[in-house]
């Protein structure tokens, strides 16, 4: 069967390395689509849970599938989340054809669209508003402050609201905190002149238009692959919230090629692809000069 072609697919809060991750369902979904751009919007790897040496074959297959998509021409962006902490030290670099960053800005159909994980609002909305006026520098500072707040509260035996408590990964999340999170993210986006804001972190899939006196913004949340098994898809100039439970065809798309695919071969393929792109760009620049 023909795979669905998408301009953009957005996934977040996969939590590979944790018992709650629905890796097999995610692998099926990834095998059913052919995206031009794949955005991994934070908490893809659960670094804290991986310390327990839990990383079954199905979780490795998801990693292989992502590398496979990259090797075949999909532009893969890995936006770091609070559970991907080790990667936040290497902002704006490439791992082969996969770009690692703390946020991503795209212009889609003339609309300014910001992708970020969302955990910076664990610090303080009031401080977030002020610091984000400094652009990328303020954004990076918020990441550090949010991490510092979490450590400090744990030191005193308190829970960090709204979403950084590990136990919440497996249970219900407070709908009041989720609503406040969504409102604050949208208000920030409107103030910063973004038409669309896309995040994860809350594990609450949503598509909602927010309006204030200063303007309006489309808020999108890709949900998770812990409970909801959802994604965001962009095609034909519009966003759609995908739900695995409603997909009657996804189970027909499982790739057999992954069973025999070697990770080293995938990485080599991706590296060669990136080298070719750089070589072609240099030749193009030389001709223009």
């Amino acid at each position: 069967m023909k795979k669905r072609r998408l301009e953009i697919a957005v996934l977040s809060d996969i939590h590979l390395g944790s018992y709650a991750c629905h890796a097999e369902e995610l692998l099926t979904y990834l095998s059913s689509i052919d995206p031009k751009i794949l955005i991994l919007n934070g908490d893809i790897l659960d670094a804290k849970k991986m310390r327990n040496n839990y990383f079954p074959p199905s979780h490795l297959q998801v990693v292989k599938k992502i590398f496979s998509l990259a090797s075949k021409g999909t532009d893969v962006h890995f936006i770091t989340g609070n559970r991907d902490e080790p990667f936040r030290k290497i902002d704006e670099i490439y791992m082969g054809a996969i770009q690692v960053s703390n946020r991503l800005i795209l212009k889609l159909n003339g609309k300014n669209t910001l992708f970020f994980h969302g955990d910076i609002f664990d610090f303080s909305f009031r401080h977030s508003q002020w610091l984000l006026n400094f652009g990328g520098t303020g954004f990076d500072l918020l990441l550090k402050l949010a991490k510092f707040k979490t450590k400090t509260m744990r030191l005193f035996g308190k829970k960090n609201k709204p979403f950084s408590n590990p136990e919440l990964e497996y249970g219900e999340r407070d709908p009041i905190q989720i609503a406040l999170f969504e409102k604050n993210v949208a208000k920030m986006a409107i103030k910063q002149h973004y038409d669309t804001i896309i995040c994860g972190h809350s594990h609450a899939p949503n598509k909602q238009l927010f309006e204030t006196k200063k303007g309006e913004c489309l808020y999108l949340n890709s949900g998770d692959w812990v409970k909801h098994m959802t994604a965001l898809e962009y095609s034909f100039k519009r966003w759609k919230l995908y739900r695995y439970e409603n997909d009657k065809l996804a189970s027909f798309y499982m790739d057999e090629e992954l069973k025999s695919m070697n990770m080293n071969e995938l990485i080599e393929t991706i590296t060669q692809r990136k080298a070719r792109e750089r070589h072609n760009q240099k030749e193009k620049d030389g001709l223009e000069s």
Side-chain angles (χ1 to χ4, degrees), residues 26-219:
L26 175 58
L27 181 60
T28 301
Y29 169 67
L30 288 172
S31 299
S32 73
I33 62 174
D34 180 18
K36 291 182 181 178
I37 300 174
L38 174 63
I39 298 175
L40 307 171
N41 202 2
D43 285 5
I44 306 306
L45 300 167
D46 201 321
K48 295 179 181 178
K49 294 291 188 297
M50 287 172 63
R51 293 170 186 169
N52 298 325
N53 296 320
Y54 177 77
F55 208 83
S58 60
H59 292 214
L60 181 60
Q61 295 285 58
V62 170
V63 176
K64 286 183 176 181
K65 182 60 184 179
I66 292 170
F67 275 92
S68 175
L69 287 169
S71 71
K72 294 175 181 178
T74 296
D75 290 326
V76 180
H77 294 267
F78 175 21
I79 301 171
T80 58
N82 49 298
R83 298 298 182 95
D84 310 303
E85 189 61 43
F87 293 95
R88 283 195 159 159
K89 300 174 183 177
I90 52 174
D91 184 32
E92 298 295 339
I93 71 159
Y94 280 91
M95 295 192 307
I98 299 177
Q99 183 178 7
V100 182
S101 60
N102 292 327
R103 64 172 181 164
L104 175 67
I105 300 173
L106 297 177
K107 203 165 188 87
L108 303 173
N109 192 29
K111 296 182 178 181
N112 295 319
T113 304
L114 172 65
F115 301 81
F116 77 118
H117 183 60
D119 59 292
I120 59 173
F121 285 100
D122 282 0
F123 176 59
S124 164
F125 178 60
R126 181 168 60 86
H127 290 96
S128 299
Q129 285 277 15
W130 178 73
L131 286 169
L132 285 169
N133 288 328
F134 293 95
T137 303
F139 193 94
D140 292 337
L141 181 56
L142 270 172
L143 291 176
K144 295 178 181 179
L145 290 173
K147 181 180 178 181
F148 175 76
K149 179 189 175 186
T150 301
K151 288 185 175 181
T152 303
M153 294 190 76
R154 285 178 182 169
L155 185 64
F156 289 95
K158 296 182 179 180
K159 294 180 179 180
N160 188 17
K161 295 181 180 181
F163 309 118
S164 59
N165 183 18
E167 283 74 22
L168 291 178
E169 177 187 326
Y170 303 99
E172 293 294 330
R173 296 184 172 227
D174 185 350
I176 297 176
Q177 291 290 343
I178 290 173
L180 180 62
F181 172 81
E182 293 172 345
K183 181 180 178 180
N184 287 344
V185 170
K187 284 173 66 177
M188 179 275 291
I190 293 170
K191 184 177 180 181
Q192 299 294 319
H193 307 292
Y194 291 109
D195 303 294
T196 305
I197 188 86
I198 299 176
C199 62
H201 191 51
S202 69
H203 289 220
N206 194 14
K207 177 182 178 182
Q208 183 176 350
L209 184 67
F210 282 87
E211 296 182 72
T212 70
K213 294 179 180 179
K214 296 183 178 181
E216 64 178 32
C217 173
L218 179 62
Y219 168 88

